[in-house]
Amino acid sequence: MTMPTDSTDPATWPHVLILGGGFGGMSTAQSLAGAPVRVTLVDRHNHHLFQPLLYQVATASLAAPSISAPLRQILRRQRHLTVLLDEVTGIDLAARRVTCDHGTLDYDLLVVATGATHAYFGHDDWAPFAPGLKTLDDAFLIRRRVLMAFEQAEREDDPALRQAWLNFVVVGGGSTGVELAGTLIELARHTLPREFRRSDPRQATVRLIESGPRLLPAFDPVLSDKARKQLEQLGVEVRTGDAVTAIDAEGVNIGEQRLAARTVLWAAGVAASPIGRLLGAPLDRAGRVQVQPDLTLPDHPEVFVIGDLAGLRQTHGKPVPGVAPAAKQMGQYVAAAIRSHLKGKHDAKPFRYRDDGSLATIGRMAAVAQFGRLKLSGLAAWTVWLLAHMAFLIGFRNRLVVMLDWAWAYWTHQRHARIIVGEDQRTDAD
């Protein structure tokens, strides 16, 4: 993969094509700043999204611009980088060409970082009734359904039907499910009560359903138990070892039990981006591309696959987790590998994921954190979670806005992002 270049003529520089503007793609692009390459970044959205805080947009804690920024703005100082708003429809590895909705792009090096999407485990018909949370569009839909549930309850005269609107179910006990459940109960119990006259938001129930034996399976069992206790102290009903067997517009079936609930949120599973199937490489059960230790595609050293789309096992046999720090590390690794290739070096060491710890917030001053043998919960974990997420946010403005919003919410329990926008055929038809 030697690529001779005339360092004085950018037109002769190798073309690096990056698919996806998430943590992996963004990290790769930024780490290539100053390298003698032409970079094109393609994404179907015009913004980079800080996905770990997406649930706060969905639950009206933060406004969308607080956790997102235009890709062009972030990368504007890289003169030889082009951002294209487009969607990938095909990849020809032999011709080194990517087909998009609006044309084709040739490349010398390809970095595929298109992330993941929702997985309903063969029940895609549940998707209209139980939206997942991956994009800002998802967050706006969930926020609309949550806030409209309280509005519908306010104008409902029948007590049973009113309670159905006030019953919320979160399916999936991972970090997203735990964070959604904790924030929903705080919204109902502390933010909304004085604003309604005919219904009482404090009568809302939030049930968190996990089919496995415990919440947060990626954490130590001790922290899983503490997370459960903190959720239950907030008022969330946690059910583990129970599987959801049906979801429709009126509610859910949990085993043989029927529960009337007009708002169901899906946080139970993810699947790799369907772009992975275009590469013609072996996939694992979650649809992740089985990559080489240097994150390249088998038989195609010019193609890198990173982030949630990459299936790579660590030395202890466990896969690299689909989290933001892993994607960023992969992006930095790939950028360093490309720089080495430009110098004619091809002895890159295998990628090694550095685990910086795991964090999950539950509610106000409630969280869990794990850093190797160090395990934190409660206020200490919440403080670490807050500082870590502030550090990860793109741009000073985002950090400042989030800090002010969190400070205001902490002291007042108020959330000023409670604006209902967009359309939802399901709730609008009721």
Side-chain angles (χ1 to χ4, degrees), residues 75-110:
L75 301 169
R76 66 188 183 280
R77 291 188 175 88
Q78 293 182 229
R79 291 180 56 196
H80 303 294
L81 184 147
T82 300
V83 175
L84 293 178
L85 185 65
D86 215 334
E87 186 154 4
V88 174
T89 57
I91 299 176
D92 186 338
L93 296 178
R96 297 194 181 188
R97 180 170 296 134
V98 170
T99 303
C100 303
D101 282 344
H102 298 93
T104 60
L105 296 165
D106 294 329
Y107 63 83
D108 296 299
L109 294 167
L110 177 64

Side-chain angles (χ1 to χ4, degrees), residues 324-335:
K328 293 187 69 172
Q329 291 175 34
M330 287 180 175
Q332 293 163 357
Y333 171 90
V334 166

Side-chain angles (χ1 to χ4, degrees), residues 32-311:
L32 286 173
V37 292
R38 294 172 293 121
V39 179
T40 301
L41 188 150
V42 179
D43 198 290
R44 59 182 177 176
H45 302 292
N46 79 327
H47 54 269
H48 172 75
L49 177 65
F50 187 73
Q51 206 171 69
L53 289 179
L54 191 57
Y55 78 95
Q56 295 212 2
V57 175
T59 53
S61 299
L62 292 174
S66 299
I67 66 163
S68 57
L71 290 167
R72 297 181 186 279
Q73 174 189 330
I74 299 170
L75 301 169
R76 66 188 183 280
R77 291 188 175 88
Q78 293 182 229
R79 291 180 56 196
H80 303 294
L81 184 147
T82 300
V83 175
L84 293 178
L85 185 65
D86 215 334
E87 186 154 4
V88 174
T89 57
I91 299 176
D92 186 338
L93 296 178
R96 297 194 181 188
R97 180 170 296 134
V98 170
T99 303
C100 303
D101 282 344
H102 298 93
T104 60
L105 296 165
D106 294 329
Y107 63 83
D108 296 299
L109 294 167
L110 177 64
V111 182
V112 187
T114 49
T117 185
H118 318 298
Y120 289 88
F121 309 117
H123 294 282
D124 290 346
D125 55 308
W126 294 353
F129 313 114
L133 185 59
K134 286 294 180 185
T135 67
L136 282 176
D137 287 337
D138 296 335
F140 293 148
L141 173 60
I142 289 174
R143 185 175 70 187
R144 178 179 181 82
R145 288 198 180 178
V146 168
L147 297 178
M148 281 298 295
F150 291 102
E151 297 294 338
Q152 298 279 21
E154 177 76 353
R155 65 190 189 197
E156 182 58 66
D157 295 322
D158 185 290
L161 296 178
R162 175 184 295 168
Q163 189 59 49
W165 282 110
L166 293 176
N167 290 340
F168 298 87
V169 175
V170 180
V171 184
S175 294
T176 299
V178 166
E179 291 165 346
L180 278 171
T183 311
L184 280 173
I185 199 68
E186 289 190 334
L187 175 70
R189 300 285 174 87
H190 301 291
T191 302
L192 300 179
R194 293 187 296 274
E195 300 183 5
F196 291 81
R197 300 295 178 263
R198 302 180 71 239
S199 63
D200 183 359
R202 290 171 296 185
Q203 297 301 312
T205 67
V206 178
R207 292 175 173 86
L208 178 59
I209 312 301
E210 167 57 41
S211 61
R214 62 186 178 94
L215 302 179
L216 301 174
F219 286 72
D220 185 274
V222 173
L223 290 180
S224 295
D225 185 57
K226 290 185 176 181
R228 177 172 188 150
K229 290 178 179 178
Q230 290 179 82
L231 280 170
E232 291 174 341
Q233 288 173 355
L234 290 174
V236 176
E237 179 185 326
V238 179
R239 296 182 59 168
T240 54
D242 284 324
V244 171
T245 54
I247 304 176
D248 55 39
E250 305 294 330
V252 301
N253 288 5
I254 305 170
E256 298 299 322
Q257 179 187 1
R258 177 67 178 176
L259 175 65
R262 299 302 301 267
T263 307
V264 182
L265 307 180
W266 186 263
V270 296
S273 163
I275 296 298
R277 293 195 290 269
L278 300 178
L279 296 171
L283 307 177
D284 66 11
R285 294 177 60 186
R288 292 173 298 209
V289 178
Q290 299 298 285
V291 295
Q292 302 287 81
D294 62 354
L295 301 179
T296 60
L297 205 62
D299 301 322
H300 286 278
E302 76 283 359
V303 179
F304 298 88
V305 181
I306 64 175
D308 292 350
L309 187 56

Side-chain angles (χ1 to χ4, degrees), residues 403-416:
M403 182 178 67
L404 293 175
D405 283 347
W406 278 346
W408 179 257
Y410 178 84
W411 293 110
T412 68
H413 288 292
Q414 293 302 305
R415 306 176 187 202
H416 292 299

